[in-house]
């Protein structure tokens, strides 16, 4: 047991190092993509620029990977020193683990991006309500030895809210979404007894994909690959008996916000560009007769909010003073629209606000969240009859809620 704190400490350090490495990977890709777009129109010169920028991108990734290897080596050196320090009473337990006398500890899942949460008390073929009304989905941290990892689902029955709670995900049941992989964090919503999942692919074009589940996430089917691309995670929402999908276009396309809708998650139409340029992906939620979209500005990172009465044209743009460098989160609970985000600061604390009309916002104390350093990371919001739910990654995944 004495070794466990040392291993946990080193493991957290390695996760942070891997997260920084992955962030450099993706930022390098986006930087090269953006610079290639800004090259002069002369095609031979543009080809030379393309080669140069991707060479720089390759060496940047190689440097990040080398630093990560040094970091991992250093952390395991710490583990060895801890082992030597406590070997007088830890060796018997160590041999017990080697000989399989002791069950290995379950590691907490991690993600470099915000998770997605959706509530839906769906009915099965016999008309009975499900025992798993809440689904949480995320893009797990990539393992360089195992190759790209896929979207993985966690289920938990959260139907009784007696007090604020905090849960770590190893208590959840693990499910995977086939062999799908994601470039950023996914999005979830529930509509007409079906869970819908959207994500950005890791293919060369980074196209958007949508799948659906009629059994609470046990199986996923009807995969649709859209003619839309993004380097950020998309957003899903339900409004006027339709499903809405919003995303940020690539830098070479201007980093603008687009939105489209569907009645069944298969045929998508009414693609519209929203007046706004984003740094990260958007968030969607409806309140009464209005659909709201939130995003962080391309240049100033400030949170922006707009509303729509028909799902096509957006108006009444509100720019808050708060800033974030990650996707914000939106959801409706009761008569309020809730907004969560990670502060653009060194600590990266999660903040929460609410509004009754999308114009006037008030700060909500995040007493449902634990103290620092757990109260940091990329948040996601959802609601159910029992209360408000918030999930986040820092990079270990957590979920909490309150009445």
């Amino acid at each position: 047991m004495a070794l466990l704190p040392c291993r946990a400490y080193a493991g957290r350090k390695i996760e942070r190092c891997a997260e920084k490495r992955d962030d450099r990977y993706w930022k390098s890709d986006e930087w090269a993509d953006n610079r290639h777009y800004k090259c002069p129109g002369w095609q031979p010169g543009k080809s030379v620029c393309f080669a140069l920028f991707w060479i720089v991108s390759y060496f940047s990734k190689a440097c990040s990977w080398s630093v990560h290897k040094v970091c991992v080596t250093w952390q395991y050196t710490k583990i060895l020193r801890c082992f030597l320090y406590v070997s007088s009473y830890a060796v018997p337990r160590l041999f017990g683990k080697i000989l399989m006398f002791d069950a290995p500890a379950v590691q907490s899942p991690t993600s470099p991006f915000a998770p997605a949460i959706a509530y839906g008390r769906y009915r099965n073929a016999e008309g009975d309500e499900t025992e798993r009304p809440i689904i949480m989905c995320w893009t797990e941290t990539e393992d360089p030895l195992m190759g790209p990892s896929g979207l993985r689902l966690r289920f938990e029955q959260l139907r009784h809210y007696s007090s604020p709670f905090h849960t770590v995900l190893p208590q959840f049941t693990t499910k995977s979404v086939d062999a799908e992989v994601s470039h950023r964090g996914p999005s979830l919503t529930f509509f007409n007894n079906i869970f819908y999942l959207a994500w950005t692919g890791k293919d060369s074009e980074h196209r958007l994909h949508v799948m659906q589940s009629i059994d609470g996430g046990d199986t996923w089917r009807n995969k649709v690959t859209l003619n839309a691309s993004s380097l950020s995670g998309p957003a899903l929402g339900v409004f006027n008996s339709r499903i809405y999908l919003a995303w940020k276009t690539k830098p070479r396309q201007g980093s603008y916000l687009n939105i489209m809708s569907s009645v069944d998650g298969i045929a998508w139409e009414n693609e519209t560009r929203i007046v706004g340029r984003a740094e990260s992906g958007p968030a969607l939620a409806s309140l009464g007769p209005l659909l709201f979209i939130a995003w962080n500005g391309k240049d100033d990172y400030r949170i922006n909010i707009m509303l729509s009465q028909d799902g096509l044209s957006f108006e009444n743009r509100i720019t808050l003073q708060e800033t974030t460098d990650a996707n914000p989160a939106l959801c409706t609970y009761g008569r309020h629209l809730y907004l969560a985000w990670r502060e653009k600061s060194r600590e990266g604390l999660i903040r929460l606000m609410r509004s009754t009309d999308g114009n006037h916002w008030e700060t909500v104390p995040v007493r449902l969240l634990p103290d620092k350093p757990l109260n940091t990371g990329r948040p996601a919001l959802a609601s159910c009859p029992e209360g408000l739910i918030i999930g986040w990654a820092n990079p270990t995944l957590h979920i909490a809620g309150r009445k």
Side-chain angles (χ1 to χ4, degrees), residues 170-192:
Q171 301 175 12
F172 284 50
T173 302
T174 303
K175 286 280 186 178
S176 62
V177 183
D178 299 332
E180 302 296 342
V181 293
S182 176
H183 183 66
R184 283 292 190 271
S187 181
L188 278 169
T189 193
F190 182 78
F191 175 65
N192 279 352

Side-chain angles (χ1 to χ4, degrees), residues 309-371:
Q309 301 182 37
D310 56 8
L312 296 175
S313 59
F314 286 78
E315 56 188 5
N316 293 352
R317 179 171 178 174
I318 303 295
T319 301
L320 305 177
Q321 295 298 321
E322 287 71 18
T323 59
T324 181
D325 56 357
N327 300 36
L330 277 179
C331 89
T332 303
Y333 176 62
R335 295 178 298 174
H336 289 92
L337 180 69
Y338 283 84
L339 169 70
W341 72 95
R342 182 185 70 175
E343 280 189 327
K344 189 179 182 298
S345 64
R346 183 174 182 179
E347 293 183 332
L349 294 178
I350 297 174
R351 300 299 184 187
L352 191 65
M353 299 180 74
R354 69 180 184 181
S355 171
T356 57
D357 56 8
N359 292 319
H360 305 90
W361 293 86
E362 61 177 348
T363 302
V364 179
V366 286
R367 289 189 295 269
L368 72 165
L369 297 179
D371 295 332

Side-chain angles (χ1 to χ4, degrees), residues 179-296:
E180 302 296 342
V181 293
S182 176
H183 183 66
R184 283 292 190 271
S187 181
L188 278 169
T189 193
F190 182 78
F191 175 65
N192 279 352
N193 206 42
I194 300 175
F195 284 98
Y196 291 89
L197 170 67
W199 72 96
T200 302
K202 288 181 69 69
D203 56 284
S204 59
E205 293 296 324
H206 297 295
R207 296 191 181 276
L208 301 182
H209 307 274
V210 181
M211 289 184 76
Q212 53 186 265
S213 175
I214 62 173
D215 53 13
D218 287 340
T219 59
W220 294 86
R221 63 179 191 176
N222 295 340
K223 179 181 176 181
V224 177
T225 300
L226 303 175
N227 188 25
S229 302
S230 178
L231 293 178
S232 301
L236 284 173
V238 176
F239 175 67
N240 277 356
S241 300
R242 297 181 70 90
I243 312 166
Y244 283 80
L245 174 70
W247 72 97
K248 186 200 81 167
T249 60
K250 290 183 176 181
R252 68 172 66 181
Q253 298 169 339
S255 297
Y256 287 101
L257 295 174
N258 284 14
I259 193 169
M260 64 173 65
S261 63
S262 172
V263 295
D264 56 6
I266 298 178
W268 294 84
E269 56 188 357
N270 299 330
E271 182 174 343
T272 306
R273 171 168 291 182
I274 302 172
V275 181
R277 300 177 69 238
E279 179 65 28
S280 302
L284 286 175
S286 60
L287 179 64
L290 300 175
L291 176 66
F292 292 86
I293 185 170
W295 74 95
N296 60 339

Side-chain angles (χ1 to χ4, degrees), residues 3 14 29 36 54 81 97 149 171 173 192 201 227 256 283 322 334 348 365-366 389 394:
L3 276 176
I14 293 172
D29 286 340
H36 174 232
W54 280 105
R81 288 185 296 186
K97 285 184 176 292
S149 55
Q171 301 175 12
T173 302
N192 279 352
N227 188 25
Y256 287 101
E322 287 71 18
V366 286
I389 308 168
N394 66 352

Side-chain angles (χ1 to χ4, degrees), residues 69-239:
K69 290 174 64 178
V70 172
C71 174
V72 171
T73 303
W74 174 245
Q75 302 307 330
Y76 279 106
T77 302
K78 290 184 179 180
I79 297 177
L80 177 61
R81 288 185 296 186
C82 290
F83 169 74
L84 295 176
Y85 180 74
V86 299
S87 59
S88 59
Y89 53 90
V91 169
R93 183 171 180 82
L94 176 63
F95 277 102
K97 285 184 176 292
I98 294 176
L99 298 176
M100 303 301 291
F101 294 148
D102 193 3
V106 179
Q107 295 185 353
S108 300
T110 61
S111 177
F113 312 114
I117 307 175
Y119 166 84
R121 193 174 296 277
Y122 77 96
R123 294 183 177 274
N124 58 25
E126 290 74 25
D128 300 325
E129 289 187 343
T130 178
E131 293 297 326
R132 294 188 298 258
I134 295 175
I135 290 182
M136 190 176 192
C137 183
W138 64 93
T139 303
E140 63 181 353
T141 303
E142 188 171 2
D143 186 346
L145 300 178
M146 301 300 294
S149 55
L151 296 178
R152 300 180 65 85
L153 297 179
R154 294 294 193 270
F155 303 105
E156 179 65 18
Q157 186 177 347
L158 302 174
R159 297 191 296 174
H160 305 288
Y161 286 69
S162 57
S163 62
F165 65 89
H166 167 237
T167 305
V168 183
L169 285 187
Q171 301 175 12
F172 284 50
T173 302
T174 303
K175 286 280 186 178
S176 62
V177 183
D178 299 332
E180 302 296 342
V181 293
S182 176
H183 183 66
R184 283 292 190 271
S187 181
L188 278 169
T189 193
F190 182 78
F191 175 65
N192 279 352
N193 206 42
I194 300 175
F195 284 98
Y196 291 89
L197 170 67
W199 72 96
T200 302
K202 288 181 69 69
D203 56 284
S204 59
E205 293 296 324
H206 297 295
R207 296 191 181 276
L208 301 182
H209 307 274
V210 181
M211 289 184 76
Q212 53 186 265
S213 175
I214 62 173
D215 53 13
D218 287 340
T219 59
W220 294 86
R221 63 179 191 176
N222 295 340
K223 179 181 176 181
V224 177
T225 300
L226 303 175
N227 188 25
S229 302
S230 178
L231 293 178
S232 301
L236 284 173
V238 176
F239 175 67

